[in-house]
Amino acid sequence: MSSKDGYVKTSIPLINALLKFKLFIVVSNWIFQGMLYADKTERAFRLFLDGLMTLILYAVFTNLIPGVYTGLTLSFFVAHTVNWIFNGQLFVLGRYVGIKPKKQDEFCNYVNKLKYRAEREKSIQLVAVYGSMSRKQLSESSDLDVRIVRKRGFLNGFKACLFGFSERTRALFSRFPLDMYVIDSPTHLFKLRADEIPEILYDPNNMFRLK
């Protein structure tokens, strides 16, 4: 879970101590890339991207770098890093390493555009905003904490994850602190803060009321 004075707070004192160092925060973020918080479908999607890019890069490097293990290791390192850059949430991470996010007055504009795009994505059935924006407590260190509930079915899951990927890439180029996850069902929302009422951006079937 998040802490007020650091990146995250765990039950392990040593990890909490290490997370006070910016380098450790960046390295741990590169390693896990939000997979510990992702739901099953999005976790599988991110691993799929890692694997696909690794194979493509290995095919490129195979004649340049001797040794199968060396080539695969380098390919995975580059693929994982590319995935981290484009499918990660770097400007959310930036809050903890000295990169300033967008100003408060830009959040509403971004949310309105996100809502517009989500309404046109047929694989999505609910979009909710949590965090400081839903609590009306935006500050200079705030990020936009979004959860997207996908529709059932393999194709819908894949398309919803592609939507999440495109939104995180858009946020990267916009230097916007977007903390977004695609989840498999509304029941996953119970894992979030019980005392926080989300701002519902899109819910045509009133799923949030039924969850």
Side-chain angles (χ1 to χ4, degrees), residues 23-199:
L23 178 61
F24 188 82
I25 290 174
V26 172
V27 171
S28 62
N29 188 271
W30 177 84
I31 292 172
F32 296 108
Q33 299 191 18
M35 290 189 188
L36 298 179
Y37 301 99
D39 217 341
K40 293 180 181 179
T41 299
E42 188 167 35
R43 191 179 302 134
F45 178 80
R46 295 187 185 210
L47 291 173
F48 166 76
L49 287 182
D50 261 4
L52 178 63
M53 285 190 288
T54 297
L55 292 176
I56 292 173
L57 289 170
Y58 178 70
V60 174
F61 293 153
T62 187
N63 294 323
L64 301 175
I65 301 174
V68 175
Y69 294 112
T70 302
L72 283 174
T73 300
L74 178 60
S75 298
F76 173 77
F77 179 84
V78 175
H80 197 63
T81 301
V82 170
N83 202 9
W84 178 57
I85 292 171
F86 288 97
N87 199 34
Q89 298 168 142
L90 296 187
F91 285 94
V92 176
L93 170 66
R95 298 167 49 206
Y96 303 97
V97 295
I99 300 175
K100 294 183 179 180
K102 290 288 187 179
K103 296 180 180 179
Q104 296 180 33
D105 57 2
E106 297 182 55
F107 270 69
C108 289
N109 183 46
Y110 195 94
V111 167
N112 289 335
K113 291 181 179 179
L114 172 62
K115 180 176 182 291
Y116 176 84
R117 292 189 291 269
E119 288 174 345
R120 282 151 183 78
E121 174 51 58
K122 302 302 183 182
S123 63
I124 293 174
Q125 56 184 341
L126 186 148
V127 181
V129 173
Y130 287 80
S132 55
M133 187 165 188
S134 68
R135 297 193 303 270
K136 313 299 181 186
Q137 296 177 346
L138 283 176
S139 67
E140 292 184 356
S141 62
S142 294
D143 58 21
L144 182 61
D145 193 358
V146 180
R147 296 296 181 271
I148 292 175
V149 180
R150 70 174 184 90
K151 292 181 179 178
R152 292 183 178 180
F154 174 82
L155 184 58
N156 283 326
F158 186 76
K159 290 173 65 177
C161 288
L162 278 179
F163 178 84
F165 178 89
S166 66
E167 286 299 321
R168 283 186 285 269
T169 301
R170 189 189 304 272
L172 171 69
F173 286 109
S174 300
R175 297 174 59 86
F176 191 87
L178 178 65
D179 188 7
M180 172 185 284
Y181 290 96
V182 177
I183 58 180
D184 295 333
S185 72
T187 57
H188 188 94
L189 300 177
F190 286 117
K191 298 179 182 180
L192 303 178
R193 286 179 52 165
D195 62 340
E196 187 168 276
I197 300 176
E199 180 177 337

